[in-house]
Structures are given as structure tokens and as C-alpha cells.
Amino acid sequence: MTTPHGLDQARDLDAEPLHSYDVFPAYQSASWELSDIPWDDFRPDLVRPEYVAFAMGAVMGESNSIAAQHGFLNEFVDDYDFSAFVCLWGYQELQHHLAFKKWLRLAGTDVGYEQINAMRAPYPPGTTPSATLATNIISEIATNHMYKCVSRVAEEPVIAKIMRRASGDEARHAREFIHYTARRLVGFPHELASVLETFYIYLADPNGRYQHPVSRFKSDLPELEGHVTIDEVFRYFGEVDDGSEWDRVTARLFATLAELTGRPITRLRDIRRALADVPATPGAAS
């Protein structure tokens, strides 16, 4: 089940239009506070350089929620419900940023404001609003599995706890981005090609393995030259994963496309076949 209501509700034009009304109490029941993290259990003797680099990369990656909210609210200016969800999503992403930042301070280091502020600029819109949503489905699913995988090997208990909390949030975020993509495609079915293209580009790129979409947009910012970025988070993910967790990521992405399209999609060739059967997105680059 993709959401508490499945995708039937997303595609039902007569269903409750304010899906965020249902998301809000669900998120409240699953939410956590910074005070829920056992900060007193922090073990400085178990802090390793790779954990510090990971936390710095997580701070940088999660700080993108501000830029993403800006972009979402502008691109979906005619969609109050999705905008309301974005506000709920952004709060939780900011909490991840602050939790990792607090852990860094316990470890005796921090991320400079100049680097965080460099992430503030909004992203360019996707080829279609549905493509923007698809990019975020990929981001949330990859990050959910990344935190889950790395939390299993992190020996310092506090950072492991933060990762587990964040992982659960990312899984819930992915479900709702899938919901809103399915709903968007009901009104704009011609945007399906852009969703398939977005998934295909990510899954087919050999350099995309253990890479977050954020790094493709903001990896070359001059303020970040020589500084740890979100790439460090996924580099460590690739180092500790035996391949099985990444296999789960790709399986979930293929399953999500199958759910969104109603087609059996389990491999790249299935995406190519689906693309051949759907009209190209009007105005998309050829």
C-alpha cells in the first residue's frame, strides 16, 4: 500500500481533495522531537572520521529542504493541498538537518553557515511538474534506504538513532510524493512520459549508483569547493552496502513505476517499452 488509502484515492476525483488533512494526523502520530534523541548516550570514544563526514554531508543535503520548498510552492502555485503537504514535509526535513547539526557539535565540529546558505537558491523546475515529483520520489526512496543501511553499521549510538528516525520519515515522504504524482497524472496524463524519463535517466546512469539527485544540481557551487557535500553520505552508503540495499532501492523504484503506470515494470527495457507507448511530453526536449 502506497499511502494509508492506496492510489485509488489519489486517482478518484470525487475523493477528499485535501489529502494533507489525512497526512497531518498520520505524521503527528509518527513524529519525533529532538528531545526524543538520547543525547546523553553520546559516546565520543565511538566517533569516527567517517561518521563526522557523513553527518556533515547529511546537514548539507537536508538543508536543501528550504530551496525545495521554495521551488515546490512556485511550481505548484495552483495546488493548495500539495503546498500544504510541502510545509509538513519541509518541517521534518529541517528537523533532520538540525539533529545532525547538533550531533556534530557534540562531536566538536560543525558546518559553516556560508556552505549551508549556498544551498538556499531554489532548484530549476523540472521538465514538467510530474517530473519534479518523480525526482523527489527517487530522492526519498534512496535516502530512506541509505539511512537504514548506514544505521546498522554505525557504532556511535546517537547518530545511529538519528539515522533510524530520519529513515522512517523518508519512507513516509516517499509514499506521499507517489500519491501526489498519481493524482497529478490523472489531470495531466501527457506528463507520464516525463516521469518515465526521470526514472530511466536515474536508473540507467552507471554514475548514479549511490548518488542523490541533489548532487546533480548543486555539486558545482563555488562555495562548496573542497567542502563535504551530500555526496559523502552516499559514498559511505556505497562503502558499507554489500549491494543488497541498493538492490532494494532499484526494486522499489521499478515497483513504484509499475504502480503509477499499471504496467509490469521490473527492468530498464520495460521503461523503454512504456515510453514507446505513451505520447511524448509536449514541449519536452527531444
Side-chain angles (χ1 to χ4, degrees):
M1 181 177 292
T2 301
T3 72
H5 305 285
L7 291 189
D8 289 343
Q9 185 207 38
R11 297 183 175 115
D12 183 359
L13 297 181
D14 294 324
E16 166 62 60
L18 200 63
H19 180 63
S20 56
Y21 178 84
D22 295 321
V23 174
F24 183 68
Y27 275 18
Q28 277 200 319
S29 66
S31 67
W32 53 279
E33 306 294 335
L34 287 180
S35 59
D36 294 327
I37 301 298
W39 302 107
D40 291 341
D41 294 343
F42 177 71
R43 290 280 304 275
D45 57 309
L46 295 179
V47 172
R48 296 166 56 177
E50 52 265 41
Y51 301 166
V52 173
F54 181 97
M56 293 177 76
V59 166
M60 296 299 293
E62 299 287 6
S63 70
N64 274 279
S65 63
I66 302 296
Q69 285 180 79
H70 185 154
F72 282 138
L73 294 176
N74 282 333
E75 191 170 0
F76 293 85
V77 67
D78 59 346
D79 191 336
Y80 178 91
D81 180 42
F82 179 67
S83 299
F85 163 71
V86 164
C87 294
L88 303 176
W89 167 83
Y91 175 89
Q92 294 190 338
E93 296 287 5
L94 184 59
Q95 181 168 257
H96 301 167
H97 162 90
L98 296 174
F100 282 110
K101 188 173 179 66
K102 182 169 182 176
W103 184 89
L104 280 172
R105 291 184 174 182
L106 287 177
T109 187
D110 205 348
V111 173
Y113 179 74
E114 180 183 4
Q115 285 73 38
I116 293 173
N117 193 49
M119 310 301 284
R120 172 61 185 85
Y123 294 102
T127 56
T128 70
S130 292
T132 297
L133 294 171
T135 298
N136 281 271
I137 292 172
I138 295 168
S139 298
E140 302 292 347
I141 288 176
T143 307
N144 160 236
H145 284 272
M146 176 274 294
Y147 281 141
K148 186 186 303 181
C149 178
V150 178
S151 72
R152 298 190 193 111
V153 301
E155 297 176 350
E156 200 293 304
V158 175
I159 196 171
K161 183 71 170 182
I162 296 170
M163 291 179 199
R164 288 192 291 271
R165 289 287 195 175
S167 176
D169 290 343
E170 307 292 6
R172 287 182 286 275
H173 297 164
R175 288 195 294 268
E176 302 315 327
F177 276 110
I178 294 168
H179 173 98
Y180 284 106
T181 303
R183 192 184 69 178
R184 172 82 189 179
L185 290 173
V186 172
F188 302 87
H190 60 277
E191 292 183 2
L192 176 58
S194 68
V195 172
L196 291 164
E197 290 162 357
T198 299
F199 274 72
Y200 186 84
I201 289 170
Y202 187 79
L203 288 164
D205 181 5
N207 296 320
R209 190 175 176 87
Y210 300 111
Q211 186 182 48
H212 191 282
V214 165
S215 68
R216 304 187 180 202
F217 293 100
K218 297 191 175 181
S219 61
D220 59 350
L221 290 172
E223 295 89 345
L224 303 184
E225 185 175 353
H227 193 276
V228 171
T229 68
I230 194 172
D231 286 337
E232 182 62 26
V233 171
F234 276 76
R235 184 205 64 77
Y236 191 51
F237 175 26
E239 184 177 305
V240 303
D241 181 29
D242 62 3
S244 60
E245 198 68 44
W246 189 258
D247 287 344
R248 294 185 185 97
V249 172
T250 56
R252 281 191 64 192
L253 292 176
F254 282 127
T256 295
L257 271 184
E259 196 170 19
L260 288 170
T261 63
R263 298 166 176 263
I265 295 180
T266 60
R267 64 190 82 182
L268 287 170
R269 71 175 65 174
D270 296 332
I271 302 179
R272 292 197 298 270
R273 288 170 178 163
L275 275 167
D277 292 340
V278 300
T281 302
S286 58

